[in-house]
Amino acid sequence: MSGFDFMIVVPAFLAGLLVLATHIPLGAQVLKRGIVFIDLAIAQIAALGVIIAGVGELDPHGWAVQGAAAVAAGLGALLLTWTEKRWPEVQEAQIGVMFILAATAGLLLVAHNPHGGEHLQDLLAGQILWVSYDQLLLPAIGAAVILAVLWIFRGRLSRLGFYLVFALAVTMSVQLVGVYLVFASLIVPGLAVRHYGDRLRLPLAYLTGVGGYAAGLVLSTIYDLPSGALIVWCVTLLAIAVYAAGPKRNKF
């Protein structure tokens, strides 16, 4: 790999580290609460906010777009809080409905845009390989705030507090790495380590995510393949190996 390629990979890898920093502990909470598809729903709603901002011809890299995504994700979090309180027995189904509504709303909004399909593809698969250092400042600040909140409350966040923190994390990450990598970063490492002891679970989850991002970025640069899709596969394959090497669950 050439030096030029290496310089491209560095900011992309840092972006992956920022995403993993918050998504690994949040993903553990998602698995514990049994609301696995909340990340897809909130990510898609944040992406819808970006699309709405694009329809308004706002600067795609400006603060207004970040604000639109944050407002959309926050409103989605408030709605999910209300639905979980009102109809908790069907919360997972309601999350699925919100996801499909946000996804189809995005399709309708870009239907007459000649570049709409490309924009949707970028939001789903991401463009992590082309992340710049300037784009990392706001996510770094946000990640520090989120980690501080998670450390202070240590699993004692209220339903509303959890959804709002989750919405903030997803709002920042979806524009860095795309919806697919948001889901993979949240869920796959947590699945890999679920049978490990408490002391090993979090470190191994981080190692799984970091290793998958590193391998995916390097391989995508060498073989000129889509980075986001390849990282998803690398994280998943590494997670399978970590799970297979771990303690076996007693079937009896």
Side-chain angles (χ1 to χ4, degrees):
M1 183 167 53
S2 67
F4 175 75
D5 292 333
F6 177 75
M7 294 308 295
I8 292 176
V9 168
V10 171
F13 183 63
L14 292 176
L17 293 182
L18 288 176
V19 170
L20 291 169
T22 56
H23 285 39
I24 294 292
L26 285 172
Q29 288 295 314
V30 166
L31 290 172
K32 183 178 180 180
R33 292 168 182 254
I35 46 175
V36 173
F37 291 104
I38 182 179
D39 53 321
L40 277 178
I42 294 294
Q44 193 65 57
I45 293 169
L48 178 61
V50 175
I51 292 172
I52 292 172
V55 171
E57 298 184 351
L58 298 176
D59 179 5
H61 301 297
W63 286 82
V65 173
Q66 295 283 349
V71 169
L75 291 174
L78 290 173
L79 182 56
L80 284 175
T81 302
W82 181 75
T83 59
E84 185 176 347
K85 184 177 181 181
R86 184 69 176 83
W87 302 290
E89 70 280 3
V90 289
Q91 178 68 351
E92 190 76 355
Q94 292 168 140
I95 291 171
V97 171
M98 287 187 63
F99 166 76
I100 202 67
L101 287 174
T104 51
L107 288 173
L108 292 172
L109 286 172
V110 302
H112 298 296
N113 185 333
H115 302 291
E118 181 181 346
H119 189 40
L120 282 176
Q121 178 68 18
D122 289 345
L123 286 171
L124 291 173
Q127 290 290 326
I128 186 174
L129 199 60
W130 306 112
V131 169
S132 66
Y133 288 107
D134 292 340
Q135 293 175 267
L136 299 179
L137 177 59
L138 183 60
I141 296 172
V145 171
I146 292 168
L147 289 173
V149 170
L150 293 176
W151 184 81
I152 291 170
F153 287 94
R154 298 181 188 179
R156 300 190 303 272
L157 279 172
S158 66
R159 180 188 297 112
L160 176 59
F162 173 75
Y163 280 143
L164 289 176
V165 169
F166 190 89
L168 175 61
V170 169
T171 296
M172 295 181 299
S173 61
V174 74
Q175 294 182 72
L176 279 179
V177 302
V179 174
Y180 297 153
L181 268 178
V182 167
F183 183 82
S185 301
L186 278 161
I187 302 302
V188 176
L191 287 175
V193 302
R194 66 188 186 276
H195 294 330
Y196 283 83
D198 291 341
R199 295 179 63 183
L200 289 176
R201 198 171 297 159
L202 192 60
L204 283 175
Y206 275 118
L207 287 174
T208 300
V210 171
Y213 268 81
L217 285 169
V218 170
L219 291 174
S220 68
T221 303
I222 294 174
Y223 296 107
D224 193 25
L225 292 170
S227 301
L230 193 53
I231 292 170
V232 169
W233 274 90
C234 287
V235 171
T236 302
L237 290 174
L238 185 55
I240 292 172
V242 170
Y243 178 82
K248 301 300 182 287
R249 190 173 185 178
N250 191 349
K251 296 182 180 180
F252 302 100

Coordinates of all heavy atoms in Angstrom, one line a residue, residues 191-241:
L191 N -22.7 -9.0 20.0 CA -23.1 -10.4 19.8 C -21.9 -11.3 20.0 O -22.1 -12.5 20.5 CB -23.7 -10.6 18.4 CG -25.1 -10.0 18.2 CD1 -25.5 -10.2 16.7 CD2 -26.1 -10.7 19.1
A192 N -20.8 -10.9 19.6 CA -19.6 -11.8 19.6 C -19.1 -12.1 21.0 O -18.6 -13.2 21.3 CB -18.4 -11.1 18.9
V193 N -19.4 -11.2 22.0 CA -18.8 -11.4 23.3 C -19.9 -11.7 24.4 O -19.6 -11.6 25.6 CB -18.0 -10.1 23.7 CG1 -16.9 -9.8 22.7 CG2 -18.9 -8.9 23.8
R194 N -21.1 -12.0 24.0 CA -22.2 -12.1 24.9 C -22.0 -13.2 25.9 O -22.6 -13.2 27.0 CB -23.5 -12.2 24.2 CG -23.7 -13.5 23.4 CD -25.0 -13.4 22.6 NE -25.3 -14.6 21.9 CZ -24.9 -15.0 20.7 NH1 -23.9 -14.2 20.2 NH2 -25.2 -16.1 20.2
H195 N -21.2 -14.2 25.6 CA -21.0 -15.3 26.5 C -19.7 -15.2 27.3 O -19.4 -16.1 28.1 CB -21.0 -16.7 25.8 CG -22.3 -17.0 25.2 ND1 -23.5 -16.6 25.7 CD2 -22.7 -17.7 24.1 CE1 -24.5 -17.0 25.0 NE2 -24.0 -17.7 24.0
Y196 N -19.0 -14.1 27.1 CA -17.7 -13.9 27.9 C -18.1 -13.3 29.3 O -19.2 -12.8 29.5 CB -16.8 -13.0 27.2 CG -16.0 -13.6 26.0 CD1 -16.6 -13.7 24.8 CD2 -14.7 -14.1 26.2 CE1 -16.0 -14.3 23.7 CE2 -14.1 -14.7 25.1 CZ -14.7 -14.8 23.9 OH -14.0 -15.4 22.9
G197 N -17.1 -13.4 30.2 CA -17.3 -12.8 31.5 C -17.4 -11.3 31.5 O -16.9 -10.7 30.5
D198 N -17.9 -10.7 32.5 CA -18.1 -9.2 32.5 C -16.8 -8.5 32.3 O -16.7 -7.4 31.6 CB -18.7 -8.8 33.8 CG -20.1 -9.3 34.0 OD1 -20.7 -9.6 32.9 OD2 -20.6 -9.3 35.1
R199 N -15.7 -8.9 32.8 CA -14.4 -8.2 32.7 C -13.8 -8.3 31.3 O -13.1 -7.3 30.9 CB -13.4 -8.8 33.7 CG -13.8 -8.6 35.2 CD -12.7 -9.3 36.1 NE -11.4 -8.6 36.0 CZ -10.3 -9.0 36.6 NH1 -10.4 -10.0 37.5 NH2 -9.2 -8.4 36.5
L200 N -14.1 -9.3 30.6 CA -13.6 -9.4 29.2 C -14.5 -8.9 28.1 O -14.1 -8.6 27.0 CB -13.3 -10.9 28.9 CG -12.1 -11.5 29.6 CD1 -12.0 -13.0 29.3 CD2 -10.8 -10.8 29.2
R201 N -15.8 -8.8 28.5 CA -16.8 -8.5 27.4 C -16.5 -7.2 26.7 O -16.4 -7.1 25.5 CB -18.2 -8.5 28.1 CG -19.3 -8.6 27.1 CD -20.6 -8.8 27.8 NE -20.6 -10.0 28.6 CZ -21.4 -10.3 29.6 NH1 -22.2 -9.3 30.0 NH2 -21.3 -11.4 30.2
L202 N -16.3 -6.1 27.4 CA -16.2 -4.8 26.8 C -14.8 -4.7 26.0 O -14.8 -4.2 24.9 CB -16.3 -3.7 27.8 CG -16.4 -2.2 27.3 CD1 -17.6 -2.1 26.4 CD2 -16.5 -1.2 28.4
P203 N -13.7 -5.1 26.7 CA -12.4 -5.0 25.9 C -12.4 -5.8 24.6 O -11.9 -5.4 23.6 CB -11.4 -5.5 26.9 CG -12.0 -5.3 28.3 CD -13.5 -5.5 28.1
L204 N -13.0 -7.0 24.7 CA -13.0 -7.9 23.5 C -13.9 -7.3 22.4 O -13.7 -7.4 21.2 CB -13.5 -9.3 23.9 CG -12.4 -10.2 24.5 CD1 -13.0 -11.5 24.9 CD2 -11.2 -10.4 23.6
A205 N -15.0 -6.7 22.9 CA -15.9 -6.1 21.9 C -15.2 -4.9 21.2 O -15.3 -4.8 19.9 CB -17.2 -5.5 22.6
Y206 N -14.5 -4.1 21.9 CA -13.7 -3.0 21.3 C -12.6 -3.6 20.3 O -12.5 -3.1 19.2 CB -13.0 -2.2 22.3 CG -13.9 -1.1 22.9 CD1 -14.2 -1.0 24.2 CD2 -14.4 -0.1 22.0 CE1 -15.1 0.0 24.7 CE2 -15.2 0.9 22.5 CZ -15.5 1.0 23.9 OH -16.4 1.9 24.4
L207 N -11.9 -4.6 20.7 CA -10.9 -5.2 19.9 C -11.5 -5.8 18.6 O -10.9 -5.7 17.5 CB -10.2 -6.3 20.6 CG -9.2 -5.9 21.7 CD1 -8.6 -7.1 22.5 CD2 -8.0 -5.1 21.1
T208 N -12.7 -6.4 18.7 CA -13.4 -6.9 17.6 C -13.7 -5.8 16.6 O -13.5 -5.9 15.4 CB -14.7 -7.7 18.0 OG1 -14.4 -8.7 18.9 CG2 -15.4 -8.2 16.8
G209 N -14.3 -4.7 17.1 CA -14.6 -3.6 16.2 C -13.4 -3.0 15.6 O -13.4 -2.7 14.4
V210 N -12.4 -2.7 16.4 CA -11.2 -2.0 15.9 C -10.5 -2.9 14.8 O -10.1 -2.4 13.8 CB -10.2 -1.7 17.0 CG1 -8.9 -1.3 16.5 CG2 -10.8 -0.7 18.0
G211 N -10.4 -4.2 15.1 CA -9.8 -5.1 14.2 C -10.5 -5.2 12.9 O -9.9 -5.2 11.8
G212 N -11.9 -5.2 12.9 CA -12.7 -5.3 11.7 C -12.6 -4.0 10.9 O -12.4 -4.1 9.7
Y213 N -12.5 -2.9 11.6 CA -12.4 -1.6 10.8 C -11.0 -1.5 10.1 O -10.9 -1.2 9.0 CB -12.5 -0.4 11.7 CG -14.0 0.1 11.8 CD1 -14.9 -0.5 12.6 CD2 -14.3 1.3 11.1 CE1 -16.2 0.0 12.7 CE2 -15.6 1.8 11.2 CZ -16.6 1.1 12.0 OH -17.8 1.6 12.0
A214 N -10.0 -1.9 10.9 CA -8.6 -1.9 10.3 C -8.5 -2.8 9.1 O -8.0 -2.4 8.1 CB -7.6 -2.2 11.4
A215 N -8.9 -4.0 9.3 CA -8.8 -5.0 8.2 C -9.7 -4.5 7.0 O -9.2 -4.6 5.8 CB -9.3 -6.3 8.6
G216 N -10.9 -4.0 7.2 CA -11.7 -3.6 6.1 C -11.1 -2.4 5.3 O -11.2 -2.4 4.1
L217 N -10.6 -1.5 6.1 CA -10.0 -0.3 5.4 C -8.8 -0.6 4.6 O -8.6 -0.2 3.5 CB -9.7 0.8 6.5 CG -10.8 1.6 7.1 CD1 -10.4 2.4 8.3 CD2 -11.5 2.5 6.0
V218 N -7.9 -1.5 5.2 CA -6.7 -1.9 4.4 C -7.1 -2.7 3.2 O -6.6 -2.4 2.1 CB -5.8 -2.7 5.3 CG1 -4.7 -3.3 4.5 CG2 -5.2 -1.8 6.4
L219 N -8.0 -3.6 3.3 CA -8.3 -4.5 2.2 C -9.1 -3.7 1.1 O -8.9 -3.9 -0.1 CB -9.2 -5.6 2.6 CG -8.5 -6.7 3.5 CD1 -9.5 -7.7 4.0 CD2 -7.4 -7.4 2.7
S220 N -9.9 -2.7 1.5 CA -10.7 -1.9 0.6 C -9.7 -1.0 -0.2 O -10.0 -0.8 -1.4 CB -11.7 -1.1 1.3 OG -11.2 -0.1 2.1
T221 N -8.7 -0.6 0.4 CA -7.7 0.3 -0.3 C -6.9 -0.6 -1.3 O -6.6 -0.1 -2.4 CB -6.8 1.0 0.7 OG1 -7.5 1.7 1.7 CG2 -5.8 1.9 0.0
I222 N -6.5 -1.7 -0.8 CA -5.6 -2.6 -1.7 C -6.4 -3.1 -2.9 O -5.9 -3.0 -4.1 CB -5.1 -3.8 -0.9 CG1 -4.1 -3.3 0.2 CG2 -4.4 -4.8 -1.8 CD1 -3.6 -4.4 1.1
Y223 N -7.6 -3.5 -2.7 CA -8.4 -4.2 -3.8 C -9.5 -3.2 -4.4 O -10.2 -3.7 -5.2 CB -9.1 -5.4 -3.2 CG -8.1 -6.5 -2.8 CD1 -7.9 -6.7 -1.4 CD2 -7.3 -7.2 -3.7 CE1 -7.0 -7.7 -1.0 CE2 -6.4 -8.2 -3.3 CZ -6.2 -8.4 -2.0 OH -5.3 -9.3 -1.6
D224 N -9.5 -2.0 -4.0 CA -10.4 -1.0 -4.5 C -11.9 -1.5 -4.5 O -12.6 -1.5 -5.5 CB -10.0 -0.7 -6.0 CG -10.7 0.5 -6.5 OD1 -11.1 1.4 -5.7 OD2 -10.9 0.6 -7.8
L225 N -12.3 -1.9 -3.2 CA -13.6 -2.3 -3.0 C -14.3 -1.3 -2.1 O -13.7 -0.5 -1.4 CB -13.6 -3.7 -2.3 CG -13.1 -4.8 -3.2 CD1 -12.9 -6.1 -2.4 CD2 -14.1 -5.1 -4.3
P226 N -15.7 -1.3 -2.1 CA -16.4 -0.3 -1.2 C -16.0 -0.5 0.3 O -16.2 -1.6 0.8 CB -17.9 -0.7 -1.5 CG -17.9 -1.3 -2.8 CD -16.6 -2.1 -2.9
S227 N -15.5 0.5 0.9 CA -15.0 0.4 2.3 C -16.1 0.0 3.3 O -15.9 -0.9 4.1 CB -14.4 1.7 2.7 OG -13.3 2.1 1.8
G228 N -17.2 0.7 3.3 CA -18.3 0.4 4.2 C -18.7 -1.1 4.2 O -18.8 -1.7 5.3
A229 N -19.0 -1.6 3.0 CA -19.5 -3.0 2.9 C -18.4 -3.9 3.4 O -18.7 -4.9 4.1 CB -19.9 -3.2 1.5
L230 N -17.2 -3.7 3.0 CA -16.1 -4.6 3.4 C -15.8 -4.6 4.9 O -15.5 -5.6 5.5 CB -14.8 -4.3 2.6 CG -13.7 -5.3 2.6 CD1 -14.2 -6.7 2.2 CD2 -12.5 -4.9 1.7
I231 N -15.9 -3.4 5.5 CA -15.7 -3.3 6.9 C -16.8 -4.1 7.7 O -16.5 -4.8 8.6 CB -15.7 -1.8 7.4 CG1 -14.5 -1.1 6.9 CG2 -15.8 -1.8 8.9 CD1 -14.5 0.4 7.1
V232 N -18.1 -4.0 7.2 CA -19.2 -4.8 7.8 C -18.8 -6.3 7.8 O -19.0 -7.0 8.8 CB -20.5 -4.5 7.1 CG1 -21.5 -5.6 7.5 CG2 -21.0 -3.1 7.3
W233 N -18.3 -6.8 6.7 CA -18.0 -8.2 6.6 C -16.8 -8.5 7.4 O -16.8 -9.6 8.1 CB -17.7 -8.6 5.1 CG -18.9 -8.9 4.4 CD1 -19.7 -8.1 3.7 CD2 -19.5 -10.2 4.3 NE1 -20.8 -8.8 3.2 CE2 -20.7 -10.1 3.5 CE3 -19.2 -11.4 4.8 CZ2 -21.5 -11.1 3.2 CZ3 -20.0 -12.5 4.5 CH2 -21.2 -12.4 3.8
C234 N -15.8 -7.7 7.5 CA -14.6 -7.9 8.3 C -15.0 -8.0 9.8 O -14.5 -8.8 10.6 CB -13.5 -6.9 8.0 SG -12.7 -7.1 6.5
V235 N -15.8 -7.0 10.2 CA -16.2 -7.0 11.6 C -17.0 -8.3 12.0 O -16.8 -8.9 13.0 CB -17.1 -5.7 11.9 CG1 -17.7 -5.8 13.3 CG2 -16.2 -4.5 11.8
T236 N -17.9 -8.7 11.0 CA -18.7 -9.8 11.3 C -17.9 -11.1 11.3 O -18.1 -12.0 12.2 CB -19.8 -10.0 10.2 OG1 -20.6 -8.8 10.2 CG2 -20.7 -11.1 10.5
L237 N -17.0 -11.3 10.4 CA -16.1 -12.5 10.4 C -15.2 -12.6 11.6 O -15.1 -13.6 12.2 CB -15.3 -12.5 9.1 CG -16.0 -12.7 7.8 CD1 -15.1 -12.6 6.6 CD2 -16.7 -14.1 7.8
L238 N -14.7 -11.4 12.0 CA -13.9 -11.4 13.2 C -14.7 -11.7 14.5 O -14.3 -12.4 15.4 CB -13.2 -10.0 13.4 CG -12.2 -9.9 14.6 CD1 -11.1 -11.0 14.5 CD2 -11.6 -8.5 14.5
A239 N -16.0 -11.2 14.5 CA -16.9 -11.5 15.6 C -17.2 -12.9 15.7 O -17.3 -13.5 16.8 CB -18.2 -10.6 15.4
I240 N -17.4 -13.6 14.5 CA -17.6 -15.0 14.5 C -16.5 -15.8 15.1 O -16.6 -16.7 15.9 CB -17.9 -15.5 13.1 CG1 -19.3 -15.0 12.6 CG2 -17.9 -17.1 13.0 CD1 -19.5 -15.2 11.1
A241 N -15.3 -15.4 14.8 CA -14.1 -16.0 15.3 C -14.0 -15.8 16.8 O -13.6 -16.7 17.6 CB -12.8 -15.5 14.6

